[in-house]
Amino acid sequence: MITYAQQNSEEQPDATSQAVDDHIAPAPRVSVQAFCETVETAAAVQSAGEDRRLAKAHLKIQMGGMAAAVEAYRSAPTPNVIILETEGRGDILTGLDQLATVCDAGTRVVVIGRVNDVTLYRELVRRGVSDYVIAPAHAIDVVRAVCNLFSAPEAKAVGRIVAVVGAKGGVGASTIAHNVAWAIARDLALDSVVADLDLAFGTAGLNYNQDPAQGIADAVFSPDRVDTAFVDRLLSKCTDHLSLLAAPATLDKVYDFGAEAFDAIFDTLRTTMPCIVLDVPHQWSGWTKRALIAADDILIVAAPDLANLRNAKNMFDLLKASRPNDRAPLYCLNQVGVPKRPEIAAGEFAKAIESQPIAIIPFDPQIFGSAANNGQMIAEISANHRAVEMFLQMAQRLTGRGETKKPRGSFLSPLLEKLRSK
């Protein structure tokens, strides 16, 4: 009998629901080999391999289905995950029995088939199949199936990354990021960390009234030392639920990084913090683009003028195209209503971007200026200010905590419950 770990799968989405709001934790560095029967499934698996959550996985696709898999592994070791497409009912069980004779212990198998029958599910579970996906399979189905193999089925995935970036410099993106993170920690009681990625000019330390001796630069310049204990020592505690990974905000070094410079830091934070808010500076480089694309949710902050509209649309379109299986980026308008300044109306903004802003924050230099100079959040300066409620609403949207979701079923969960009861 094949010794694959048994995992529950989630309900399969239809073709119109691929950009779901579910948080799917990224897969680790694993090898995945798929053996497909149809070009449609091969295309879906190929598209899944381009998803950000499988960026670390090494994916190889072959045609031939179950028979090709059995033949291939007679003389080669099996990978971490095998994806098998089969079109016939009898072929599945017979093929799995043959695969068991050549499969290495610990390999996990995901089967894509067209038969929807509880008896078949029972036989698959008995043979140790990890997941069964009903064809036709979409890219997000494959992403979810592979990623869920490496997440505890009983626990909610941790480490949701929210990236906040300005469409233009000076639009208040850092202020929004810090206040939204404050709302996530205080009002939603979710353990969070703010990572200030603007190493030269970051303001998170000032806004939270913190001056830590160490911060994110220590991790970036010592990638070999990055682990949970090391990152934990770099965190500065702001509140019971909020920590800060501060930027040095000094100019004694030049902060030129490769595209993967922050990967180890983000991976480590994911394992320890339920929510990570990235304060992304307004610059376009390999690592900022990578950080935005790899985030679970993105908030673009824009002011109501033409340059912001152009930049916001360019970012929105690129990120949406780069993340086809994710929710589209969100955006808010900030500093709205500056006296005597001509502004683009929110409706025109929404028409151009083809999406409504999640918040329209009015220009209030007195409150925001006082908060910045005092090293406080808006909620600390004026608890009843209308922006405070907006920050909470944005926090709820970005974390998925403010929306009521129907519980997602599993194809195998009813069967597993019956089997457990016997």
Side-chain angles (χ1 to χ4, degrees):
M1 187 174 294
I2 304 175
T3 58
Y4 316 119
Q6 297 179 9
Q7 303 280 342
N8 291 345
S9 65
E10 295 187 9
E11 182 182 3
Q12 305 301 310
D14 56 33
T16 63
S17 63
Q18 293 188 32
V20 294
D21 186 32
D22 294 339
H23 175 44
I24 304 174
R29 297 186 186 278
V30 292
S31 56
V32 182
Q33 295 183 10
F35 293 84
C36 303
E37 295 275 7
T38 64
V39 293
E40 292 80 10
T41 298
V45 175
Q46 180 65 43
S47 180
E50 298 169 358
D51 189 276
R52 63 178 179 84
R53 285 157 291 209
L54 294 183
K56 294 182 180 179
H58 178 71
L59 176 65
K60 182 179 180 181
I61 303 173
Q62 302 179 58
M63 303 302 291
M66 188 78 72
V70 174
E71 185 62 29
Y73 298 131
R74 292 187 190 280
S75 57
T78 52
N80 301 110
V81 180
I82 302 174
I83 300 176
L84 298 171
E85 182 187 14
T86 180
E87 295 191 304
R89 178 193 182 97
D91 293 343
I92 300 178
L93 302 180
T94 302
L96 286 174
D97 289 340
Q98 294 176 349
L99 185 62
T101 64
V102 296
C103 189
D104 298 333
T107 295
R108 304 180 184 187
V109 169
V110 175
V111 175
I112 300 175
R114 301 183 182 277
V115 180
N116 188 353
D117 180 74
V118 68
T119 304
L120 175 62
Y121 295 155
R122 183 180 291 113
E123 292 300 328
L124 293 177
V125 170
R126 287 175 177 171
R127 283 167 170 78
V129 167
S130 300
D131 202 353
Y132 183 73
V133 179
I134 297 294
H138 302 296
I140 190 64
D141 302 326
V142 179
V143 171
R144 182 182 293 110
V146 174
C147 291
N148 282 355
L149 296 178
F150 303 95
S151 300
E154 301 85 3
K156 293 183 179 180
V158 298
R160 190 184 191 108
I161 290 184
V162 174
V164 183
V165 64
K168 190 171 178 284
V171 297
S174 292
T175 298
I176 301 298
H178 304 160
N179 279 275
V180 168
W182 180 273
I184 293 172
R186 189 193 69 166
D187 299 321
L188 304 183
L190 192 63
D191 286 337
S192 307
V193 60
V194 173
D196 191 344
L197 304 186
D198 191 349
L199 272 67
F201 304 106
T203 59
L206 296 175
N207 287 348
Y208 290 121
N209 197 24
Q210 299 285 326
D211 187 21
Q214 294 178 304
I216 195 167
D218 297 271
V220 175
F221 289 115
S222 303
D224 296 338
R225 298 176 57 194
V226 173
D227 58 21
T228 302
F230 180 66
V231 172
D232 189 59
R233 290 195 299 269
L234 302 180
L235 294 177
S236 175
K237 200 163 187 65
C238 301
T239 68
D240 289 342
H241 292 288
L242 182 63
S243 298
L244 170 64
L245 195 54
T250 59
L251 303 181
D252 56 341
K253 294 181 180 179
V254 176
Y255 303 107
D256 293 331
F257 304 118
E260 300 180 2
F262 291 87
D263 284 7
I265 302 171
F266 297 161
D267 290 344
T268 302
L269 288 174
R270 278 188 185 274
T271 65
T272 58
M273 283 289 179
C275 184
I276 302 101
V277 177
L278 305 182
D279 181 1
V280 183
H282 178 72
Q283 64 182 68
W284 199 243
S285 62
W287 69 265
T288 54
K289 180 180 178 181
R290 184 179 178 88
L292 290 171
I293 291 176
D296 294 294
D297 276 291
I298 303 165
L299 176 64
I300 300 171
V301 180
D305 63 33
L306 185 60
N308 275 273
L309 176 56
R310 180 202 63 186
N311 294 352
K313 179 168 177 55
N314 287 343
M315 295 172 69
F316 193 94
D317 291 345
L318 182 142
L319 292 171
K320 189 175 180 180
S322 301
R323 300 153 47 87
N325 302 314
D326 287 270
R327 180 168 65 175
L330 304 173
Y331 77 97
C332 71
L333 294 178
N334 191 32
Q335 302 172 353
V336 175
V338 175
K340 299 183 179 181
R341 181 182 71 174
E343 296 181 348
I344 297 176
E348 294 301 316
F349 232 94
K351 183 178 179 181
I353 296 183
E354 299 180 343
S355 178
Q356 293 292 330
I358 65 171
I360 300 175
I361 303 172
F363 179 66
D364 191 340
Q366 180 65 38
I367 291 295
F368 280 82
S370 297
N373 288 336
N374 293 341
Q376 292 178 296
M377 297 294 100
I378 301 301
E380 295 179 289
I381 292 288
S382 178
N384 296 322
H385 194 276
R386 51 184 171 173
V388 175
E389 180 63 25
M390 294 181 186
F391 294 140
L392 174 57
Q393 292 173 357
M394 286 191 282
Q396 291 171 331
R397 286 288 300 275
L398 290 165
T399 61
R401 291 298 182 98
E403 302 170 3
T404 302
K405 298 181 183 178
K406 295 181 180 179
R408 300 182 66 86
S410 164
F411 282 114
L412 297 180
S413 57
L415 173 63
L416 292 174
E417 290 298 326
K418 291 179 181 179
L419 294 176
R420 292 190 187 104
S421 65
K422 292 182 178 181

